[in-house]
Each structure stands twice: as C-alpha cells, then as structure tokens.
Amino acid sequence: MPKQRLTILGSTGSVGASTLDVVSRHRDRFEVVALTARSQTDALFAQCVTWRPRFAVMSNPDAAQDLRRQLLKAGVECDVRAGTAALEEVASLTEVDTVMAAIVGIAGLRPTLAAARAGKKILLANKESLVTAGAVLMDAARESRATLLPIDSEHNAIFQALPRSCEGLGAAGVRRILLTASGGPFRTLSLRQFDDVTPEQACAHPNWAMGRKISVDSATMMNKGLEVIEARWLFDAAPAMIEVVIHPESVVHSLVEYVDGSVIAQLGNPDMRTPIAFALGFPDRIAAGVEFLDLPRVGALHFERPDPQRFPCLRLAYDALETSGTAPATLNAANEVAVASFLSGALRFSQIPRMIESVLAGSAFHPVNGIEDVLVADGLARSLAEDWLRARPAIGAGTFRQALGS
Ligand code: NAD
Ligand code: MG
C-alpha cells in the first residue's frame, strides 16, 4: 500500500501534536511532507528533526529565518518557507494526499481553502474556516471532489453515526443532531464570580487538554455555538435540527436521532487521538494509542439543557447562523478579539459576550459570494471590537439582528 503523504497545518499545536502522535504509531502508512507553525521555532525545529519533512513553513518570517539557521546548524535538510502564501502552497502540493487543517482561528481559512480547491483529503479541525466561509469551503470541496473529514470530536461522532453513503439528512431519516457539550470549567460556578475568572481558570478544562483559544471558547460555550454553525455546513443541516445538550463527562461525543426514535451515539474517552485516527485511517480503523473506555469506571452519564443566562454566547451563535451571510464571520472575528483580549488581561471573562453582542449590533451583514466578503467582514468586526475595547461602553446591547444586506 502506498504511504499517505501528509501536510500538517498547525503541527505545533494541541491537535497537531496529537496528529503526529497517531502518525508515529503507523510509520508504515504515513509520510510527513510538510509541517507548519506561526512562530514556535523551537517546537517546529524539534518536529523537523524527528520527522524530516521536505517543507517547514512559519507564517512569521523572522521565526522562519531562525528555523532555517537552526536546521542548517543541525545538518537537517528542509525547505523552510515563510508567510501565509507558503501555507497555501504546502496545503496544495501535488505530492500531498492529506491535509490536517489544525491552525487556530480564521488564519486557517486560506490554507484550508487551498487544500479544498486542490481536491485533498482534508482532516478539518479548524472550525473557524467553516464558521466564517462555510458555503465557499463546501462548494470548493464539492467541485474538486475533496474529501472533508471532521476532526472536531462532536462532528466526527455525528459522521460516524450517519450512514456511510449519506445523500442528505432527510433521505437518511435523520430527525435531529444532538451536539454534546461538557459545559466547561464554569458549568456550576456562581454567576457573580464570572467577573473574576482568570485565564488560567478558564483554560483548565475538566476533560480535554486543548489550545488556549478553544479552551476559553469552551468556558463561554462559544465553542459549541461555533460547532452548531460547523454542523450546519458539514451535514447540510437546518439550524432547527441542531440541538445542544450538556454532558459533563464528555464520553458521549454526540448523537444522531432518527425518525423511528433510534438514537445513535459515538462514545469514547475524551482524547482527540480517536477522531484523528478515525480520519487518518478512513475508511480503515487504525489504533490511536488512547485508553479504552471503561464504562463501569465511568459509572454514570449525565445530561442537562444549557442555561442561556450562563452561556449567552450560544444564543449569539444561533442568531448569527440564522442571520447568515457575513454574520457568522463577524461573530467569529469579535470572538477572536474578545478571547485574545481576555487572555492578555485586557478584558474580563464576563465581558466576552458583551463585546461580541455589541460588535454584532453595530455591524451590517451581506451575502457571502467569495472569501473576500468574509475577510472584509472579519476586518470590520475586528476594528469595531478594538473600538469597543477602547470605549468600554456600559453593559447592555440591544439585539443585533439586521436584515441581510441592510
Ligand atoms: P493550538 O493553539 O494548540 O495550536 C494552533 C496551531 O496553529 C499552532 O501550531 C500555531 O503555531 C498555529 N497558528 C496559530 N496562529 C497561526 C497563524 N496566524 N498563522 C499560522 N499558523 C498559526 O490550537 P488547537 O487547540 O490545536 O486547535 C487548532 C484548531 O483545532 C482550532 O480551530 C480548534 O478550534 C480546533 N479543535 C481543537 C481541538 C483540541 O482538542 N485542541 C478539538 C477540536 C477542534
Ligand atoms: Mg468539539
């Protein structure tokens, strides 16, 4: 069997490292052609020494220069490139079969789209690209016959619970998609304490070890909101068919309910190596190195409805999805600025949804005809968010719903 040749975008991150961990267990099956990172030179250097990829890309040019020097000194041959165009290049190389899209944020959009246009097998972790440009990305993948496999554990679970050749949810007899959510570290914290939450507390997820941005998103449940939008595009699901249920144990990764009352779920320990191995091996099953599920040890599984007062970000995401057009890109950009500001100490945790709601309220939305529309909306939302940070208005934003194109 010829080896599957891989580009791993965002290889130094949490998903990137888990991907390399799975690959290390199957060196006969996979070959690493390209690795990428933003600015973590030491981490990418270590990966290049181990994996000897043909290409290494750093979006930061100074970091790329450092990496080049370090590799030369160590006698490791590798074509080091810099900048975002280079990310698109390694995402669409002819000698690459599979692209793991594991950059965080909208920074992953262009390279993921490049992989889709090049007809690659895409392992999609970068949910922000689907949230902001779902129609563009899905169209590109369809036209070039790219295979899109979800890495997000919930969407991977849904994919596994749907029939293999699914001609649409209606034809498959699907009634609802149930996305599970852990509820994050503040599921039971008193609302009065939300003002004083620190980045360290927000990043200490009870079940999953993840990058800092998605950890904060899990704490606000914006992560689940983004995942609702992601599910809408991946499975062509009407928003009303997608429901969120809190499940603190993170053992049931999501469920599909059929019209006959059957509910099919995928279970496993919360370890990203399971969905990653599923997608890497697809359609074969390969070992992931995870601890197997011991149900008696888990003991009990719990489910509850999300509290809209505790998690206003969830409603903001549903509203943006319903508004459609550039609204999800605006939501995403405002959230990226809010999370970065919270992590740097410039914003309180409780202000995250307020800032996002205020940016949405101040934005006009337009149909998305191409990636440029998305990037313009992204830029405008970022500057509105920065304005908000400077002005710090009093709490209380109205509803942001505006007619599309108004
Ligand atoms: P992370 O922060 O740990 O890693 C991000 C990676 O992207 C790093 O390699 C970093 O160098 C690179 N990167 C960051 N900004 C960049 C930029 N501007 N240009 C180029 N590269 C850049 O993030 P993560 O937790 O691994 O998450 C990656 C993606 O996967 C996110 O979209 C996240 O929502 C999704 N995801 C993650 C998990 C998880 O368990 N970590 C689960 C589901 C989905
Ligand atoms: Mg998820």
Side-chain angles (χ1 to χ4, degrees):
M1 194 171 53
K3 285 189 179 180
Q4 226 183 105
R5 297 159 303 177
L6 304 174
T7 284
I8 303 176
L9 301 168
S11 61
T12 57
S14 162
V15 171
S18 294
T19 306
L20 286 171
D21 183 274
V22 175
V23 170
S24 72
R25 297 162 198 275
H26 304 277
R27 287 177 189 258
D28 54 323
R29 274 182 176 261
F30 303 104
E31 180 190 334
V32 176
V33 177
L35 297 174
T36 86
R38 179 175 49 185
S39 52
Q40 299 92 325
T41 317
D42 293 346
L44 194 56
F45 170 75
Q47 290 183 344
C48 288
V49 171
T50 306
W51 291 98
R52 305 288 166 131
R54 257 196 70 198
F55 301 94
V57 178
M58 305 213 72
S59 42
N60 178 316
D62 293 337
Q65 193 50 34
D66 268 359
L67 179 66
R68 225 173 263 128
R69 238 179 270 129
Q70 284 190 37
L71 288 170
L72 197 68
K73 203 164 139 205
V76 176
E77 226 177 278
C78 181
D79 187 343
V80 179
R81 301 193 176 183
T84 44
L87 291 173
E88 293 178 58
E89 273 167 38
V90 294
S92 50
L93 291 168
T94 356
E95 70 252 48
V96 160
D97 310 297
T98 300
V99 175
M100 163 55 84
I103 290 174
V104 61
I106 197 172
L109 175 55
R110 279 186 187 280
T112 306
L113 190 58
R117 288 185 173 142
K120 302 302 184 197
K121 170 176 162 183
I122 303 170
L123 278 42
L124 189 75
N126 176 237
K127 65 191 83 186
E128 294 90 347
S129 55
L130 266 185
V131 168
T132 56
V136 180
L137 192 58
M138 294 307 287
D139 283 351
R142 212 171 294 120
E143 274 166 31
S144 64
R145 306 177 78 85
T147 308
L148 212 53
L149 295 169
I151 293 298
D152 222 339
S153 55
E154 297 77 3
H155 306 74
N156 189 273
I158 293 161
F159 185 84
Q160 294 196 45
L162 287 171
R164 190 52 66 83
S165 54
C166 182
E167 298 285 331
L169 297 184
V174 173
R175 181 171 176 270
R176 270 190 314 170
I177 283 176
L178 294 158
L179 288 179
T180 51
S182 68
F186 309 136
R187 185 175 56 88
T188 55
L189 187 76
S190 137
L191 288 180
R192 267 173 288 122
Q193 288 173 269
F194 270 42
D195 269 349
D196 304 317
V197 157
T198 65
E200 279 54 48
Q201 291 170 321
C203 289
H205 196 280
N207 307 331
W208 298 93
M210 310 181 286
R212 284 169 79 76
K213 193 260 179 182
I214 184 176
S215 296
V216 176
D217 284 349
S218 298
T220 60
M221 270 189 86
M222 179 56 92
N223 182 50
K224 210 50 53 182
L226 300 178
E227 290 183 357
V228 168
I229 304 176
E230 186 185 8
R232 181 262 170 268
W233 292 111
L234 275 173
F235 307 112
D236 196 15
M241 282 180 84
I242 309 169
E243 270 179 48
V244 172
V245 59
I246 291 195
H247 165 49
E249 291 84 11
S250 297
V251 163
V252 177
H253 296 306
S254 277
L255 318 89
V256 176
E257 181 181 64
Y258 289 87
V259 287
D260 61 2
S262 299
V263 178
I264 300 188
Q266 184 257 358
L267 283 72
N269 276 320
D271 187 324
M272 286 307 289
R273 291 176 298 174
T274 293
I276 291 168
F278 174 88
L280 276 172
F282 186 80
D284 298 342
R285 295 271 181 179
I286 61 172
V290 303
E291 195 184 327
F292 290 103
L293 187 59
D294 180 347
L295 279 174
R297 204 174 84 198
V298 174
L301 299 174
H302 296 87
F303 301 93
E304 58 194 60
R305 282 181 222 291
D307 171 358
Q309 219 191 325
R310 179 175 293 272
F311 299 115
C313 285
L314 197 52
R315 175 184 55 81
L316 293 176
Y318 267 107
D319 284 354
L321 175 57
E322 203 173 299
T323 306
S324 79
T326 51
T330 301
L331 171 95
N332 178 70
N335 182 55
E336 286 193 24
V337 177
V339 171
S341 308
F342 168 65
L343 285 173
S344 72
L347 192 71
R348 282 179 191 276
F349 183 78
S350 54
Q351 289 178 311
I352 294 175
R354 290 173 203 154
M355 182 207 252
I356 299 166
E357 179 150 31
S358 173
V359 170
L360 286 162
S363 299
F365 307 114
H366 306 284
V368 171
N369 296 312
I371 183 178
E372 290 311 323
D373 297 324
V374 170
L375 297 175
V376 168
D378 177 83
L380 286 172
R382 279 171 200 272
S383 55
L384 279 178
E386 299 294 346
D387 291 348
W388 191 93
L389 260 185
R390 275 188 292 272
R392 289 300 162 92
I395 303 161
T399 127
F400 73 85
R401 269 174 217 243
Q402 294 188 16
L404 200 61
S406 67

